[in-house]
Amino acid sequence: MAGAGPAPSVKYWKTMALWQWTSAGRIDGHGGNLDCSIFYGDAAAWDKYVGKGNTPTPKPPKPATPTHKHKVGEHIVFSTCYASSSDPISKAIQASKMARNHGVITKIQSGARNPYLLDADLCWVNDGDIRGAYQAEQYYTVKSGDTLSGIAAKYGTNYQHLAQLNGIADPNKIYTGQKIRVK
């Protein structure tokens, strides 16, 4: 060892097994400080001291069971959906551009970006797309300032669908207090 100097002469103390006599030791080829220590024992004592052979073998962690917020058989309403379970958000299809905005979860594909398949082949959705449970018929009471297109957007559909569903001839004429079927 270059620059470390000889180890100091120390008598064996019964309460001490290891002594670090410097943390600034040097050795050729190493650019930083090194700890310089003395162990008072043989190889068997060292193995016992560091617990060699006594270390339990760690068990590999159990793989996490995927958890899903929804389950097969739920009838849900969605705001957007996808043609495949792996489609990125850039390929989202707005519910207002589809024939309907609801479906029954028929399959869950764990680990997929869009894990829920609706109606066996309608489309795929993820938790962020799901707006809640589907209700067979739902009504909305028109408030001052509402428009049919604004109401349609709240329910993931379009004003044409609401006009047809409610027999509204002129979508620009709705009235405060009017009950409109939205589902």
Side-chain angles (χ1 to χ4, degrees):
M1 283 195 293
S9 169
V10 177
K11 292 187 178 185
Y12 174 73
W13 293 307
K14 291 183 182 186
T15 59
M16 186 168 69
L18 186 67
W19 178 50
Q20 179 180 322
W21 54 276
T22 186
S23 61
R26 296 289 188 164
I27 189 169
D28 289 338
H30 182 75
N33 292 338
L34 297 168
D35 291 341
C36 295
S37 305
I38 297 172
F39 176 69
Y40 298 101
D42 58 15
W46 177 255
D47 288 348
K48 185 176 178 183
Y49 181 75
V50 298
K52 189 174 180 182
N54 296 332
T55 307
T57 305
K59 293 180 183 175
K62 291 181 181 178
T65 304
T67 57
H68 299 285
K69 291 181 180 179
H70 302 279
K71 58 187 175 199
V72 170
E74 279 186 65
H75 195 160
I76 57 95
V77 175
F78 60 89
S79 59
T80 54
C81 66
Y82 305 86
S84 81
S85 63
S86 60
D87 277 354
I89 197 162
S90 62
K91 291 192 174 187
I93 304 163
Q94 297 299 315
S96 61
K97 294 184 179 179
M98 299 193 59
R100 58 190 163 100
N101 69 338
H102 60 91
V104 175
I105 298 172
T106 53
K107 179 181 177 181
I108 298 175
Q109 187 170 321
S110 292
R113 178 177 284 158
N114 311 303
Y116 308 108
L117 177 62
L118 302 180
D119 296 339
D121 66 354
L122 176 65
C123 63
W124 294 83
V125 297
N126 59 54
D127 289 322
D129 301 315
I130 297 173
R131 295 294 173 247
Y134 175 77
Q135 297 173 358
E137 286 189 8
Q138 188 174 354
Y139 291 85
Y140 176 83
T141 303
V142 177
K143 297 179 182 105
S144 179
D146 278 341
T147 63
L148 198 56
S149 60
I151 296 167
K154 287 180 186 179
Y155 291 92
T157 188
N158 57 49
Y159 77 89
Q160 295 94 335
H161 176 72
L162 292 185
Q164 180 186 15
L165 192 62
N166 291 280
I168 299 172
D170 184 349
N172 293 315
K173 291 185 179 180
I174 59 172
Y175 306 96
T176 302
Q178 180 181 6
K179 287 192 184 255
I180 294 178
R181 182 175 166 198
V182 291
K183 295 190 184 208

